[in-house]
Amino acid sequence: MRFDKKRLAHIVFESDDPVSKKFDIILLIAILGSVLIAILDSVKDLHQAYGRIFYVLEWVVTALFTIEYGLRVWLSRRKLGYVFSFFGIVDLLAVLPTYLSIFILNTQLLVVVRALRFLRVLRVLKLGRYLRESQILAQALYNSRLKIMIFLGAVVTIILVMGTVMFLIEGPESGFTNIPMSMYWAIVTLTTVGYGDISPITPLGKMVASMIMLLGYAIIAVPTGIVTSEITVASRKREEELFSKRVCPTCHAERHDADAYHCKYCGTRL
Amino acid sequence: MRFDKKRLAHIVFESDDPVSKKFDIILLIAILGSVLIAILDSVKDLHQAYGRIFYVLEWVVTALFTIEYGLRVWLSRRKLGYVFSFFGIVDLLAVLPTYLSIFILNTQLLVVVRALRFLRVLRVLKLGRYLRESQILAQALYNSRLKIMIFLGAVVTIILVMGTVMFLIEGPESGFTNIPMSMYWAIVTLTTVGYGDISPITPLGKMVASMIMLLGYAIIAVPTGIVTSEITVASRKREEELFSKRVCPTCHAERHDADAYHCKYCGTRL
Amino acid sequence: MRFDKKRLAHIVFESDDPVSKKFDIILLIAILGSVLIAILDSVKDLHQAYGRIFYVLEWVVTALFTIEYGLRVWLSRRKLGYVFSFFGIVDLLAVLPTYLSIFILNTQLLVVVRALRFLRVLRVLKLGRYLRESQILAQALYNSRLKIMIFLGAVVTIILVMGTVMFLIEGPESGFTNIPMSMYWAIVTLTTVGYGDISPITPLGKMVASMIMLLGYAIIAVPTGIVTSEITVASRKREEELFSKRVCPTCHAERHDADAYHCKYCGTRL
Amino acid sequence: MRFDKKRLAHIVFESDDPVSKKFDIILLIAILGSVLIAILDSVKDLHQAYGRIFYVLEWVVTALFTIEYGLRVWLSRRKLGYVFSFFGIVDLLAVLPTYLSIFILNTQLLVVVRALRFLRVLRVLKLGRYLRESQILAQALYNSRLKIMIFLGAVVTIILVMGTVMFLIEGPESGFTNIPMSMYWAIVTLTTVGYGDISPITPLGKMVASMIMLLGYAIIAVPTGIVTSEITVASRKREEELFSKRVCPTCHAERHDADAYHCKYCGTRL
């Protein structure tokens, strides 16, 4: 088969036919693999035992990603458009760290950047069905952003006030050494995480703590309510769009089902 | 009363009359009993005190299940159909381990298989009302599978990135010995479990941890919202089905709206 | 004012006028007071310091409750009906323990019975508005009972299987001494309580634990979804009931607003 | 530009044009700054290192707030109306502590009052969009207040009864030294916080604890359901208001349904 740039571009950018789907899946495996290497390499024992192999694999994956990145730049119609797109930057961040590791010795820092590689998994969202669903979720979260910010504002206020109060009640000897520490405890408690590294000792402190717990236990209902209501609205909207918008010429009744041939109020042919 | 295979099959497979209901309930008791034995036998003291009794009961229950299994195979019209059905396999797994225990000495392994016996409790779902309700739930979860997978994807990304970040901030001396361990901590924190076996020590670490907690506290709203909205839709659908089941006298079309006065397909007065 | 049995009965049983409301409120204070005494008396220091006072107050409150109980029996039309009603039994349980304490020395046991006294607080539900709201909640919970039982069944199965699995992975040295203990840990983890008294040590155990946490974090969405949807339905039902059920004599359109004087489809006078 | 009191009042009290918006933003920064100082100053090391700077900044911020407070009093039409309004009091509380610190030496106490300063952040709610959203939330919470109080009543009853039961089962040696302590544990467990500072030791205690955990894990669904349903209703109401705002030409009645073709009050064709 003679070379065909259009076809290649299709394989790389789309995912609506077997070949391009296969390309995406291979890519996903490579991405997950590269992340796995980064994780395992951080385990001392594994690093000592297989560090060499990880090192090689690291470069293999990087090579693949470099080629892929090159392809994408070369194949995309608007080159800069891709380079400065979200995925363009993510793709670049996926290969840079390994090359930088030659010059920079602080590998620690690179591990983080390499972690960003995981963002490439988002490419899966390209796969049609996921895209629509995630748009609905995104829409719902976007619509409820104001409400959620108000909620977070309230939570922060509670944390600050309660943190200060507990600092005054418990004092340093219980581990509430200062307000920031006391606020950290308030967060740990309000979110019902409850490490137990710091916990109130005085009876009064325990009473206030109980109040915070019950508060945190109850107010979780608020963000949940906000998001739920938005998601319900979003999906209802989608449903209604499937509704026909036809109007009856005789009685002007609206909201006929999509499969209606006659007005359900007066029987006129639609 | 002379033997009647049809009747027996009805008792074993159905549960719509007193006798077959009684059969199901006896079966359930036997199942729960067998599970209880397995649990209690794992307690050292109880094993030493009553190990012998447990052993006998174990064989009694197994005998009962074997007979039941035999009956089901013998009575079912399509024998292989049953043997390879979900419940067919579960029923087999419920009796096998005890027999295997004669040959295999590693009883530990058998305990797990025996645990699968509990899946037999699902037989209760056969009981009509439960079946319909569980179908609604299953439907709701199935409809929201894409959204939930997207949510889990986001959670996994958060865990990986945050885990790596905390590994770099806290380092081994705080217990964040490597990225996997750090990710484990991230999961413990994000899900608000908060064992406290590992917890941040540095101020910066505590700040990032606080962010993760607030994040985990807030995003729980998303899956809840997804499932709630689906369940609401599902039950509304069911309600609507209870709506006008009227049939058009001319074209015999069904599913007319509650407020329809003419068939929406042919216009005939309903 | 001369004695009036009817009036007294009204004061005791109803709460729709100032006097009877006052009676209920005084009663509530007495109930809360008696509970408070029981609680404070359990604190060693307070018992040693004020035990005598608590003892006296205890008898005062009991005397009051006895009089009240007597009144209720005497005033209620169907005496046995009250005595064996829920509140009749609760009211009796509120006074019995103190009298029993003369004969029985194990005060511990009495403390529990006395705790039941708190159930009397439910009397507040008599106050109209609360009653209707709590009926809506009760209705919603009752409607979702099947779904919730299925959910609990699933949770129990997860706990049993996971508990057994962790028992085999971690073993006694990590604190997973037997299956019941391991199931206890599974509950602590799945419900995101996370005491940390037992927590996995082996890498594999940590992985399984992570799965359980994410599971527990996600499936909380199910009961929430169930209850939410039921409550929404319940309140929508109530709304619709406020809707008028009038039908237009000309076009037979239904669902006119409660404040409609003319059919909104054809304009006919309703 | 010559002085203009009206204009100044507008800048201070409104936030619907660039200048007044800028004023609000500068104010917010000052507020957040003052809070940050209070927090950092509570850290011993920072206090020793920068205590002097904090002290100065503290007075600078206080001076600014005093001027602002003065302006608001002077510019507001109904002076006392502002002074005794919620924000009027908050604004005063924001400046008082610093002045009091000259006479009172117990700075601790002042820290709390100073924390109230954070409430000024609520001023952001003035910014239109936030106001409407927060009203919807407030409305939803207000509508569900009865249901939530019933829920809290149930939770408190559970905590009291379970706390007493666990006190009797576990006893002092497990840390359940008295009923209040035992109730504290019950709250920590029911809200799924789970510090682990106190946890059951006896098998029976562990069983009861498991029940409490599952209960706490399940009943969180109730407040969530309540709030969600209210928020859904609230936003649906808002949607409907955006519905046909048509006015009847004859009787000038408003609020006709979107599907109305005749005025439902007088029957005139819309």
Side-chain angles (χ1 to χ4, degrees):
Chain A
M1 137 195 177
R2 67 152 180 62
F3 176 75
D4 175 350
K5 187 174 177 181
K6 242 190 186 47
R7 174 90 186 101
L8 193 59
H10 186 91
I11 293 169
V12 173
F13 290 109
E14 304 308 320
S15 55
D16 51 10
D17 63 82
V19 186
S20 53
K21 261 207 170 53
K22 212 167 269 109
F23 178 85
D24 285 348
I25 284 148
I26 292 165
L27 191 61
L28 266 177
I29 293 162
I31 292 167
L32 294 175
S34 69
V35 172
L36 200 65
I37 295 166
I39 294 173
L40 295 177
D41 195 34
S42 76
V43 185
K44 205 175 235 65
D45 308 4
L46 294 174
H47 178 73
Q48 283 162 348
Y50 313 103
R52 203 163 223 74
I53 302 162
F54 290 144
Y55 186 77
V56 174
L57 286 171
E58 176 63 27
W59 276 105
V60 173
V61 173
T62 311
L64 285 174
F65 287 169
T66 315
I67 294 162
E68 182 221 351
Y69 184 68
L71 270 176
R72 286 184 187 277
V73 174
W74 176 52
L75 293 169
S76 53
R77 241 170 270 70
R78 300 174 33 267
K79 299 200 178 339
L80 286 179
Y82 164 73
V83 171
F84 293 106
S85 70
F86 173 70
F87 277 124
I89 290 156
V90 169
D91 293 347
L92 185 63
L93 286 174
V95 294
L96 269 187
T98 322
Y99 293 115
L100 291 174
S101 67
I102 304 166
F103 315 106
I104 302 165
L105 293 171
N106 169 8
T107 52
Q108 295 278 294
L109 193 84
L110 297 174
V111 178
V112 186
V113 191
R114 198 182 288 145
L116 294 171
R117 202 173 265 179
F118 205 68
L119 291 174
R120 304 198 73 203
V121 173
L122 294 173
R123 282 208 172 283
V124 76
L125 291 181
K126 268 185 15 181
L127 307 172
R129 309 175 314 157
Y130 287 94
L131 191 55
R132 213 185 60 248
E133 295 290 344
S134 53
Q135 279 169 342
I136 294 167
L137 283 184
Q139 186 61 45
L141 289 174
Y142 179 81
N143 292 346
S144 49
R145 69 193 181 292
L146 285 179
K147 288 206 194 71
I148 284 172
M149 280 171 69
I150 290 165
F151 171 74
L152 280 180
V155 166
V156 170
T157 313
I158 292 169
I159 287 163
L160 187 104
V161 174
M162 287 304 191
T164 314
V165 169
M166 286 302 282
F167 166 63
L168 297 176
I169 293 173
E170 287 289 330
E173 57 282 351
S174 320
F176 294 76
T177 48
N178 51 49
I179 294 181
M181 179 65 93
S182 195
M183 285 171 67
Y184 167 70
W185 169 85
I187 294 169
V188 171
T189 302
L190 194 79
T191 56
T192 77
V193 171
Y195 283 135
D197 51 355
I198 320 169
S199 61
I201 290 166
T202 64
L204 182 57
K206 287 192 153 85
M207 280 174 67
V208 176
S210 304
M211 276 169 44
I212 300 175
M213 290 172 208
L214 288 171
L215 199 63
Y217 183 65
I219 61 176
I220 183 64
V222 174
T224 309
I226 295 165
V227 174
T228 305
S229 123
E230 288 297 347
I231 290 178
T232 314
V233 169
S235 32
R236 196 170 65 230
K237 281 245 171 58
R238 200 158 86 269
E239 251 182 28
E240 276 163 11
E241 274 162 22
L242 303 178
F243 238 137
S244 78
K245 299 249 163 298
R246 294 174 299 178
V247 179
C248 169
T250 313
C251 70
H252 304 82
E254 282 173 352
R255 317 205 100 308
H256 295 293
D257 295 359
D259 58 353
Y261 294 125
H262 286 266
C263 169
K264 61 187 179 185
Y265 299 108
C266 65
T268 316
R269 195 87 175 70
L270 290 172
Chain B
M1 142 196 175
R2 66 153 180 61
F3 177 74
D4 174 351
K5 187 175 178 182
K6 244 192 183 50
R7 176 91 186 101
L8 193 60
H10 186 90
I11 293 169
V12 174
F13 290 109
E14 305 308 319
S15 56
D16 50 10
D17 64 83
V19 187
S20 52
K21 260 206 171 54
K22 212 166 270 110
F23 178 85
D24 285 348
I25 284 148
I26 292 165
L27 191 60
L28 267 177
I29 293 162
I31 292 167
L32 294 176
S34 68
V35 173
L36 200 66
I37 294 166
I39 294 173
L40 295 177
D41 195 33
S42 76
V43 184
K44 205 175 236 65
D45 309 3
L46 295 175
H47 178 73
Q48 283 161 349
Y50 313 104
R52 202 162 224 73
I53 301 161
F54 290 144
Y55 185 77
V56 174
L57 285 172
E58 176 63 27
W59 276 103
V60 172
V61 173
T62 311
L64 284 174
F65 287 170
T66 316
I67 294 162
E68 181 220 352
Y69 184 68
L71 269 176
R72 286 184 187 278
V73 174
W74 177 53
L75 292 170
S76 54
R77 240 171 269 69
R78 300 174 31 268
K79 298 198 176 342
L80 286 179
Y82 164 72
V83 172
F84 293 108
S85 71
F86 172 70
F87 277 123
I89 291 155
V90 169
D91 293 348
L92 186 63
L93 285 173
V95 293
L96 268 188
T98 322
Y99 293 115
L100 292 173
S101 66
I102 304 166
F103 316 106
I104 303 166
L105 293 172
N106 170 6
T107 52
Q108 295 279 294
L109 193 83
L110 299 174
V111 178
V112 187
V113 192
R114 199 181 287 146
L116 294 171
R117 205 173 263 180
F118 206 68
L119 291 173
R120 303 197 74 203
V121 173
L122 295 174
R123 280 204 173 285
V124 77
L125 291 181
K126 267 184 19 179
L127 306 172
R129 309 175 314 157
Y130 288 93
L131 193 55
R132 210 185 63 247
E133 295 291 343
S134 53
Q135 279 168 342
I136 294 166
L137 284 184
Q139 187 59 45
L141 290 174
Y142 180 81
N143 293 345
S144 49
R145 68 193 181 293
L146 285 180
K147 289 205 193 71
I148 285 172
M149 280 172 70
I150 291 164
F151 172 73
L152 281 181
V155 166
V156 169
T157 313
I158 292 168
I159 287 164
L160 187 104
V161 174
M162 287 305 191
T164 314
V165 169
M166 286 303 282
F167 167 62
L168 297 176
I169 293 173
E170 287 289 331
E173 57 282 349
S174 320
F176 294 76
T177 48
N178 51 50
I179 294 182
M181 179 66 93
S182 195
M183 285 171 67
Y184 168 70
W185 169 85
I187 293 170
V188 171
T189 302
L190 194 80
T191 57
T192 77
V193 171
Y195 282 134
D197 52 355
I198 319 168
S199 60
I201 290 166
T202 64
L204 181 57
K206 286 192 154 81
M207 280 174 66
V208 175
S210 304
M211 277 168 43
I212 300 176
M213 289 172 208
L214 288 171
L215 199 63
Y217 184 64
I219 60 176
I220 183 64
V222 175
T224 309
I226 294 166
V227 174
T228 304
S229 125
E230 289 297 346
I231 290 178
T232 314
V233 169
S235 33
R236 198 169 63 228
K237 282 245 170 61
R238 194 158 92 271
E239 250 181 28
E240 278 163 10
E241 274 161 22
L242 303 177
F243 253 160
S244 71
K245 288 243 164 297
R246 294 176 298 179
V247 179
C248 168
T250 313
C251 70
H252 307 300
E254 281 172 355
R255 314 230 27 27
H256 294 293
D257 294 0
D259 59 352
Y261 282 96
H262 286 266
C263 169
K264 61 189 180 185
Y265 300 107
C266 67
T268 316
R269 195 81 177 71
L270 289 172
Chain C
M1 146 199 174
R2 67 152 181 60
F3 177 75
D4 174 351
K5 187 174 178 183
K6 244 191 183 50
R7 174 92 186 100
L8 193 60
H10 187 90
I11 292 168
V12 173
F13 290 109
E14 304 309 317
S15 55
D16 50 11
D17 65 83
V19 186
S20 54
K21 261 206 170 54
K22 213 167 269 109
F23 178 85
D24 285 348
I25 283 148
I26 291 165
L27 192 60
L28 267 178
I29 292 161
I31 292 167
L32 294 175
S34 69
V35 173
L36 200 66
I37 293 166
I39 294 172
L40 295 177
D41 195 33
S42 76
V43 185
K44 205 176 238 64
D45 308 4
L46 295 175
H47 178 74
Q48 282 160 350
Y50 312 105
R52 200 163 225 73
I53 301 160
F54 290 145
Y55 185 78
V56 173
L57 285 172
E58 177 62 28
W59 276 104
V60 172
V61 173
T62 310
L64 284 175
F65 287 169
T66 315
I67 294 160
E68 181 220 352
Y69 184 69
L71 270 176
R72 287 183 188 277
V73 174
W74 176 53
L75 293 169
S76 53
R77 241 171 269 69
R78 300 177 30 270
K79 299 199 177 341
L80 285 180
Y82 164 72
V83 172
F84 293 107
S85 71
F86 173 71
F87 277 124
I89 291 156
V90 170
D91 293 347
L92 185 63
L93 287 174
V95 292
L96 268 188
T98 322
Y99 293 115
L100 291 174
S101 66
I102 303 166
F103 316 106
I104 303 165
L105 293 172
N106 171 6
T107 52
Q108 295 280 296
L109 194 82
L110 298 173
V111 177
V112 187
V113 191
R114 198 181 288 145
L116 294 171
R117 205 173 262 179
F118 206 67
L119 292 173
R120 302 198 74 204
V121 173
L122 295 173
R123 281 206 172 284
V124 76
L125 292 181
K126 267 183 19 181
L127 306 172
R129 309 175 314 156
Y130 287 92
L131 193 55
R132 212 186 61 250
E133 295 291 343
S134 52
Q135 279 168 341
I136 294 167
L137 284 184
Q139 187 60 45
L141 289 175
Y142 179 81
N143 292 346
S144 49
R145 69 193 180 292
L146 285 179
K147 290 206 194 69
I148 284 172
M149 280 171 69
I150 290 165
F151 172 74
L152 281 180
V155 166
V156 169
T157 313
I158 292 169
I159 287 163
L160 187 104
V161 174
M162 287 305 191
T164 314
V165 169
M166 286 302 282
F167 167 62
L168 297 176
I169 293 173
E170 287 290 328
E173 58 281 350
S174 320
F176 295 75
T177 48
N178 50 49
I179 293 181
M181 180 65 93
S182 196
M183 284 170 68
Y184 168 70
W185 169 85
I187 294 169
V188 171
T189 302
L190 194 78
T191 57
T192 77
V193 170
Y195 282 135
D197 52 354
I198 321 168
S199 61
I201 291 166
T202 64
L204 182 56
K206 285 192 155 82
M207 280 174 66
V208 176
S210 304
M211 276 169 44
I212 300 175
M213 289 172 209
L214 288 172
L215 200 63
Y217 183 64
I219 61 176
I220 183 64
V222 175
T224 309
I226 294 166
V227 175
T228 305
S229 125
E230 288 297 347
I231 290 178
T232 314
V233 169
S235 32
R236 196 170 66 227
K237 280 245 171 63
R238 201 160 85 268
E239 252 182 27
E240 278 164 10
E241 273 161 22
L242 302 177
F243 239 138
S244 76
K245 300 248 162 300
R246 294 174 299 178
V247 179
C248 169
T250 313
C251 70
H252 303 81
E254 284 172 354
R255 315 208 102 310
H256 295 293
D257 295 359
D259 58 353
Y261 294 125
H262 285 266
C263 168
K264 61 188 179 184
Y265 298 109
C266 67
T268 316
R269 194 84 175 72
L270 290 171
Chain D
M1 140 199 176
R2 68 150 179 64
F3 176 76
D4 174 352
K5 188 175 177 181
K6 246 193 181 48
R7 175 91 186 101
L8 193 60
H10 186 91
I11 292 168
V12 173
F13 290 109
E14 304 309 318
S15 55
D16 51 10
D17 65 81
V19 186
S20 54
K21 262 208 169 52
K22 213 168 267 111
F23 178 84
D24 286 348
I25 284 149
I26 290 164
L27 191 61
L28 267 178
I29 293 162
I31 292 167
L32 294 176
S34 69
V35 173
L36 200 65
I37 294 165
I39 294 173
L40 295 176
D41 195 34
S42 76
V43 185
K44 205 175 235 65
D45 306 5
L46 295 174
H47 178 74
Q48 282 162 351
Y50 312 105
R52 201 164 225 71
I53 301 162
F54 290 144
Y55 185 78
V56 174
L57 286 171
E58 177 62 26
W59 275 104
V60 172
V61 173
T62 310
L64 284 174
F65 287 170
T66 315
I67 293 162
E68 183 219 351
Y69 184 68
L71 269 177
R72 286 183 188 277
V73 174
W74 177 52
L75 293 169
S76 54
R77 239 169 271 70
R78 298 175 33 268
K79 299 202 176 335
L80 286 179
Y82 164 72
V83 172
F84 294 108
S85 71
F86 173 70
F87 277 124
I89 290 156
V90 170
D91 293 347
L92 186 63
L93 286 173
V95 292
L96 268 187
T98 322
Y99 293 114
L100 290 174
S101 67
I102 302 166
F103 315 106
I104 302 165
L105 293 172
N106 170 7
T107 51
Q108 294 279 293
L109 193 83
L110 297 173
V111 177
V112 186
V113 191
R114 197 182 287 144
L116 294 170
R117 202 174 265 181
F118 205 68
L119 291 172
R120 302 197 73 204
V121 172
L122 295 173
R123 281 206 171 283
V124 76
L125 292 181
K126 267 184 20 181
L127 306 172
R129 308 176 312 157
Y130 287 93
L131 192 55
R132 213 185 58 248
E133 294 292 343
S134 53
Q135 278 168 342
I136 294 167
L137 284 184
Q139 186 61 45
L141 289 175
Y142 179 81
N143 293 345
S144 49
R145 70 194 179 291
L146 285 180
K147 290 206 192 69
I148 284 171
M149 279 171 69
I150 291 165
F151 172 74
L152 281 180
V155 167
V156 169
T157 313
I158 292 169
I159 287 162
L160 187 102
V161 174
M162 287 303 192
T164 314
V165 170
M166 286 301 281
F167 166 61
L168 297 176
I169 293 173
E170 287 289 330
E173 57 282 350
S174 321
F176 294 77
T177 48
N178 50 49
I179 294 181
M181 179 65 93
S182 196
M183 284 171 67
Y184 168 70
W185 169 86
I187 294 169
V188 171
T189 302
L190 194 78
T191 56
T192 77
V193 171
Y195 283 135
D197 51 355
I198 320 168
S199 61
I201 290 166
T202 63
L204 182 57
K206 287 191 154 84
M207 280 174 67
V208 176
S210 304
M211 276 168 43
I212 300 175
M213 290 172 207
L214 288 172
L215 199 63
Y217 183 64
I219 61 176
I220 183 64
V222 175
T224 310
I226 294 164
V227 175
T228 304
S229 124
E230 288 297 347
I231 290 178
T232 313
V233 169
S235 32
R236 197 169 64 228
K237 282 247 170 60
R238 197 160 88 270
E239 251 183 27
E240 278 163 10
E241 273 161 22
L242 302 178
F243 253 159
S244 73
K245 288 242 166 295
R246 294 175 299 178
V247 179
C248 169
T250 314
C251 70
H252 308 298
E254 281 174 354
R255 319 232 18 33
H256 295 293
D257 295 359
D259 58 352
Y261 281 97
H262 286 265
C263 169
K264 61 188 177 184
Y265 301 106
C266 66
T268 316
R269 197 82 176 70
L270 290 172

